[in-house]
């Protein structure tokens, strides 16, 4: 079964578009997220099982490649890419972003929430172990910020379109999950700041790290606006901006009472009353 989000087959996760859509005068901001299904996957269905198996398998591959990071000089060059260790966080981000897109397209909160929380924790854990790759990092975090903000409100954080699975109720994300997401977001902000501080030289990607994806990343970040040195400083300040703002209003200062010994992304508990 194909998991591409750009050319979905009929009956896949994205409903085929009509041949002659009605003209729209809406000025809503286009979403940076792929278009989700109109309805969540049915619990226990073949499609849901296929998604779960694919996501679990890909997460296992990501973990294995991370464990073998920086080992290309010792690996058998005949190995498939999925069996080689990562050489940069850009590679990690690409694989994780693929899973984020797949989970988003399912339109199924019962799959999206737990898996996306887990992926966000992996990012916090892996990010400090690679040289900082600003474009790939901020692209992925910007997308996750939109994902979590959307799930918290029940509508696409960029376009305002209602989300599938939220028709009957808005508070699909539990309070425990909200506390954990807030902790993950705050931990990630610290990790990004520390990663940037360890960068030697210009605050940008290496010249050898340029790919065809850079044009898409420039579209996401409107990098024409960043003409001065240190153009990623503003993006650092915006890490999980929407998510933290939404949860800050609801949870207050719950994040201040985290145990400092918690692993990155672990949930903190509010101060007992």
């Amino acid at each position: 079964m194909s998991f591409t989000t750009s050319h979905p087959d009929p009956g896949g996760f994205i409903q085929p578009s009509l041949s002659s859509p009605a003209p729209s005068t809406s000025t809503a901001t286009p979403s940076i997220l792929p278009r989700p299904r109109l309805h969540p996957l049915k619990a226990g269905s073949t499609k849901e099982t296929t998604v779960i198996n694919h996501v679990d398998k890909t997460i296992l591959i990501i973990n294995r490649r991370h464990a073998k990071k920086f080992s290309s000089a010792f690996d058998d060059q005949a190995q498939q890419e999925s069996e080689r260790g990562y050489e940069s966080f850009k590679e990690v981000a690409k694989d994780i972003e693929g899973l984020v897109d797949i989970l988003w397209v399912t339109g199924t909160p019962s799959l999206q929430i737990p898996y996306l929380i887990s992926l966000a924790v992996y990012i916090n854990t892996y990010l400090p172990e690679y040289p900082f790759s600003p474009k790939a990092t901020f692209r992925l975090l910007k997308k996750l910020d939109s994902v979590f903000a959307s799930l918290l409100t029940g509508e696409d954080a960029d376009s305002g379109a209602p989300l599938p699975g939220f028709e009957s109720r808005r508070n699909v994300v539990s309070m425990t999950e909200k506390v954990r997401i807030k902790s993950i977001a705050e931990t990630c902000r610290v990790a990004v700041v520390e990663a940037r501080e360890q960068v030697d030289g210009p605050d940008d990607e290496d010249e050898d790290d340029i790919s065809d994806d850079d044009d898409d990343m420039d579209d996401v970040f409107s990098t024409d606006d960043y003409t001065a040195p240190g153009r990623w400083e503003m993006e650092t300040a915006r890490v999980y901006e929407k998510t933290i703002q939404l949860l800050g209003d609801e949870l207050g200062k719950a994040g201040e009472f985290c145990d400092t010994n918690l692993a990155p992304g672990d949930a903190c508990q509010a101060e007992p009353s």
Side-chain angles (χ1 to χ4, degrees):
M1 180 174 184
S2 174
F3 288 93
T4 179
T5 59
S6 56
H7 300 287
D9 296 326
F13 297 136
I14 305 179
Q15 297 295 327
S17 59
L18 298 176
S19 57
S20 300
S24 173
T25 57
S26 172
T27 58
T29 303
S31 177
I32 64 173
L33 301 170
R35 181 183 174 187
R37 286 170 49 92
L38 296 180
H39 304 287
L41 297 173
K42 184 178 296 185
S45 66
T46 301
K47 287 183 179 180
E48 184 193 55
T49 301
T50 301
V51 172
I52 291 173
N53 290 340
H54 174 77
V55 173
D56 286 343
K57 179 181 178 181
T58 305
I59 288 176
L60 182 60
I61 291 173
I62 290 172
N63 286 331
R64 286 176 175 173
R65 295 191 67 188
H66 171 70
K68 297 170 62 178
K69 62 184 180 297
F70 309 134
S71 61
S72 60
F74 309 100
D75 286 342
D76 181 357
Q77 297 304 309
Q79 283 183 327
Q80 296 182 358
E81 182 180 359
S82 62
E83 298 175 353
R84 299 176 185 173
Y86 288 122
E87 295 298 321
S88 69
F89 189 76
K90 185 175 183 178
E91 295 177 306
V92 180
K94 180 180 179 181
D95 287 348
I96 291 180
E97 184 176 358
L99 288 182
V100 172
D101 286 345
I102 288 171
L103 289 165
W104 186 253
V105 169
T106 66
T108 308
S110 60
L111 295 180
Q112 294 169 330
I113 296 169
Y115 274 123
L116 289 168
I117 287 176
S118 294
L119 292 175
V121 172
Y122 286 135
I123 292 170
N124 289 0
T125 303
Y126 294 168
L127 182 60
E129 301 189 27
Y130 295 87
F132 189 53
S133 299
K135 280 189 177 181
T137 300
F138 290 126
R139 174 190 172 98
L140 176 58
L141 294 179
K142 188 178 184 73
K143 181 169 287 190
L144 272 175
D145 187 26
S146 288
V147 164
F148 283 130
S150 299
L151 291 172
L152 290 168
T153 59
E155 60 184 32
D156 190 297
D158 300 306
S159 69
L163 300 183
F166 288 76
E167 295 84 357
S168 58
R169 59 194 181 102
R170 288 287 180 173
N171 294 324
V172 175
V173 184
S174 71
M175 184 58 66
T176 299
E177 290 165 338
K178 289 177 181 178
V179 172
R180 189 158 194 227
I181 291 170
K182 185 171 186 286
S183 176
I184 291 169
E186 292 173 339
T187 300
C188 187
R189 279 195 163 189
V190 174
V192 170
V193 170
E194 292 178 347
R196 287 191 65 249
E197 289 176 348
Q198 295 176 6
V199 173
D200 294 326
D203 188 17
D204 205 344
E205 301 280 7
D206 294 336
E207 291 183 2
D208 294 337
D209 197 26
I210 297 175
S211 73
D212 294 338
D213 294 335
D214 286 350
D215 290 340
D216 294 336
M217 292 181 181
D218 287 342
D219 291 340
V220 171
F221 297 116
S222 299
T223 49
D224 289 341
D225 296 336
Y226 297 94
T227 56
R231 65 180 186 172
W232 297 114
E233 291 181 4
M234 187 173 293
E235 289 300 330
T236 300
R238 290 175 175 171
V239 169
Y240 282 119
E241 181 180 42
K242 298 174 184 176
T243 302
I244 290 176
Q245 183 175 357
L246 286 169
L247 290 176
D249 295 339
E250 182 171 353
L251 302 180
K253 297 183 178 180
E256 294 181 4
F257 304 101
C258 290
D259 184 343
T260 56
N261 293 321
L262 287 176
D266 277 356
C268 57
Q269 301 297 324
E271 184 182 43
S273 56

